[in-house]
Amino acid sequence: MTADVRLVLGNQLTLRNPALPVAGAGGATVLMIEAPGESTHVWSHKARIAVFLAAMRHFHRLLAGEGLLVEYVRLDDDDAPEFQVRLENALRRLGARTLTVAEPGDHRVAEHIRAACERLRVLLRVQPDTHFIVSTEEFRAWAGGRATLRMEHFYRYVRRRTGILMNGSEPEGGVWNLDGENRRGFGRQGPGLVPAPPSFVPDALTAEVLDLVSQRFADHPGDLATFGWPVTREQALVALKSFVDDRLAGFGPFQDAMWSRQPHLWHSLLSCALNLELLDPREVIDAALEAYRRHRLPLASVEGFVRQILGWREFVRGVYWLDMPGLARANHYGHDRPLPGWFWTGHTGMNCLREAIGQTLSLGYAHHIQRLMVIGNFALLAGLRPQEVSDWFLAVYVDAVEWVELPNTAGMALYANGGRFTSKPYVASGAYIQRMSDYCGGCRYDPASRSGAQACPVTLLYWAFIDRHESSLSSNPRTTLMARGVARLGSGERRTLRQEAQRVLATMETL
Ligand code: FAD
Ligand code: SF4
């Protein structure tokens, strides 16, 4: 029996976890829980389930090796499937008086923990999660009183506060933002040879998890044939080094570009290891800065990468905790169309979506622009229900944890929170996808056409969206040009546009 229980959640796998007791001090029990309900509350990709379980089991082994006493509840234990019930049962078994945990990454899980402690009259101690560079309190103080939240302002604030990429009070290189150099497509010649990221051969513990997931979650999306994600800190460090040595230099210019059957390109693939806390964001940034200094990597690439970690990653976490639980229900446009079935199969004639969803379903990975400007863009233009879209994004990516997934989906991709932190809805026609990828070349639709059998659904729905929202778009300086484009169309053309859009939406399952 132990009164002092320390809960380690599946995305808090670091020895720096503030909830962990000091090794050898005795008395406290570390509690880790695998719960089947966490893999089914959204219909999770097999690789996502496997990443969590394999990383948790390796971390359990590490903790035991450190001499800590660990109560580990396994997926197949004879217990209820729900996390909260498993937690309550474990707290009873251990005779818990206090439960200590670092801030959970998910509002729902935080509520389960609070409710379990309340029911059992266990004192709950929630510690700030020191994995993050900006605490929830600091973010709240920064955001307080601001009418709009902008990542760029936050990012400059954190760079000044931390001194990262600063020369005194001036930004390194004299400018805060090198986005102008970083929006290149590959052109006709394509990406050429891009160094492959490492893939980690499953050891016995991981292989056991892969077998378990294949059997127990056989009907879930995805497959495990190519599973090679880092699930230990050692592997995560290898992944970090490989990115910094081989791909960081090319990251900046091509971070928005896409190419068929090239899922990784110059991206880091570190989100999963970061979100499990196998890597600390500070060490990831330090590794990039070290390469910048030593090997004179281009500032556009290094700053572009630092901006993702120090800027976007910290920012969306702050927004999530500021705006929950309302963010999960947000639906600015009142969109209510269900997800077409091909989101779960990738079987669509729209090549951009077939590529982006296809690679997602096979690997559990797509890079940011595929998520935002291909899948998210279609979901917004087609008026899909934000909560369903968000559940899909939470289910299918190996790096999906709600604090980062939800603000990106509801806030950035779907504008469901009405522009709380984006200055405009991110919408694009087929012309953008044609510029940034080779997808349109292999498509049965024509990106330039918005009527007739060959009309690109993305282009058509883009124009129909602008038509629908002309008045709000014309009053926003960042979207007046879009609104002017639709205003130039004659009334007959606009009527045809609406009819064609209705036709496409009515046949969405077969696009
Ligand atoms: P890179 O392109 O190499 O970027 C480097 C790192 O920066 C990433 O590893 C990540 O930690 C961070 N980063 C980059 N962009 C963002 C961003 N917009 N928000 C927060 N961090 C960012 N990221 C997740 O980690 N989990 C999610 O569930 C998730 N869901 C998303 C859903 C949508 C609709 C969109 C548009 C984006 C989502 N993102 C999510 C953000 C981003 O797409 C991924 O972090 C990135 O694609 C991961 O691949 P990478 O490690 O190769 O990233
Ligand atoms: Fe996507 Fe349209 Fe291009 Fe086809 S033509 S790949 S649907 S943007």
Side-chain angles (χ1 to χ4, degrees), residues 350-352 430 433 439-440 443 445-447 456-458:
M350 292 181 282
N351 196 37
C352 52
I433 292 173
Y439 294 157
C440 300
C443 188
Y445 299 110
D446 170 8
C456 161
V458 179

Side-chain angles (χ1 to χ4, degrees), residues 243 251 255 264 266-272 274-275 305 307-310 312-314 316-317 365-373 376 389 393-394 397-406 408-410 412-413:
F243 168 67
F251 175 84
Q255 61 182 292
H264 306 130
W266 298 92
H267 290 270
S268 71
L269 276 74
L270 293 175
S271 50
C272 173
L274 273 162
N275 296 350
F305 179 69
R307 162 182 298 266
Q308 307 307 320
I309 310 268
L310 186 67
W312 279 112
R313 188 169 186 270
E314 297 285 328
V316 297
R317 186 209 182 221
Y365 178 81
H367 73 65
H368 186 64
I369 294 301
Q370 293 174 304
R371 299 188 205 195
L372 182 66
M373 298 310 291
V389 178
F393 273 102
L394 190 59
Y397 290 104
V398 288
D399 57 27
V401 187
E402 197 180 75
W403 65 262
V404 52
E405 175 277 322
L406 186 61
N408 271 295
T409 306
M412 207 188 292

Side-chain angles (χ1 to χ4, degrees), residues 326-511:
L327 184 60
R329 296 189 296 268
N331 192 353
H332 176 73
Y333 291 122
H335 285 163
D336 66 354
R337 248 180 221 100
L339 228 57
W342 44 260
F343 263 69
W344 297 104
T345 63
H347 298 156
T348 165
M350 292 181 282
N351 196 37
C352 52
L353 284 142
R354 187 169 59 226
E355 282 284 336
I357 293 179
Q359 84 169 61
T360 297
L361 293 177
S362 72
L363 305 174
Y365 178 81
H367 73 65
H368 186 64
I369 294 301
Q370 293 174 304
R371 299 188 205 195
L372 182 66
M373 298 310 291
V374 177
I375 306 172
N377 183 47
F378 182 86
L380 172 55
L381 296 178
L384 305 186
R385 194 177 296 135
Q387 286 68 31
E388 234 182 281
V389 178
S390 180
D391 281 356
W392 183 86
F393 273 102
L394 190 59
V396 295
Y397 290 104
V398 288
D399 57 27
V401 187
E402 197 180 75
W403 65 262
V404 52
E405 175 277 322
L406 186 61
N408 271 295
T409 306
M412 207 188 292
L414 303 181
Y415 203 73
N417 60 352
R420 167 92 156 129
F421 64 88
T422 49
S423 55
K424 58 171 186 163
Y426 285 107
V427 285
S429 72
Y432 172 85
I433 292 173
Q434 187 177 34
R435 193 166 66 250
M436 298 310 295
S437 74
D438 67 339
Y439 294 157
C440 300
C443 188
R444 71 175 182 221
Y445 299 110
D446 170 8
S449 173
R450 57 174 181 248
S451 67
Q454 278 213 305
C456 161
V458 179
T459 299
L460 173 58
L461 294 175
Y462 167 81
W463 280 91
F465 180 91
I466 309 290
D467 172 60
R468 231 171 22 254
H469 300 293
E470 185 188 356
S471 74
S472 64
L473 296 174
S474 62
S475 60
N476 176 344
R478 298 213 46 201
T479 51
T480 37
L481 272 182
M482 285 180 182
R484 261 185 231 150
V486 87
R488 275 198 291 271
L489 301 181
S491 58
E493 232 178 324
R494 284 179 81 156
R495 206 171 28 250
T496 310
L497 186 63
R498 286 174 205 152
Q499 284 163 354
E500 288 278 292
Q502 281 312 318
R503 174 186 62 77
V504 157
L505 290 172
T507 57
M508 194 155 56
E509 286 292 349
T510 57
L511 285 175

Side-chain angles (χ1 to χ4, degrees), residues 40-62:
T40 53
H41 84 278
V42 291
W43 195 41
S44 293
H45 193 292
K46 292 189 188 83
R48 176 177 185 250
I49 306 172
V51 153
F52 273 90
L53 295 183
M56 284 175 76
R57 290 185 182 191
H58 280 95
F59 193 66
H60 171 212
R61 193 155 76 181
L62 181 69

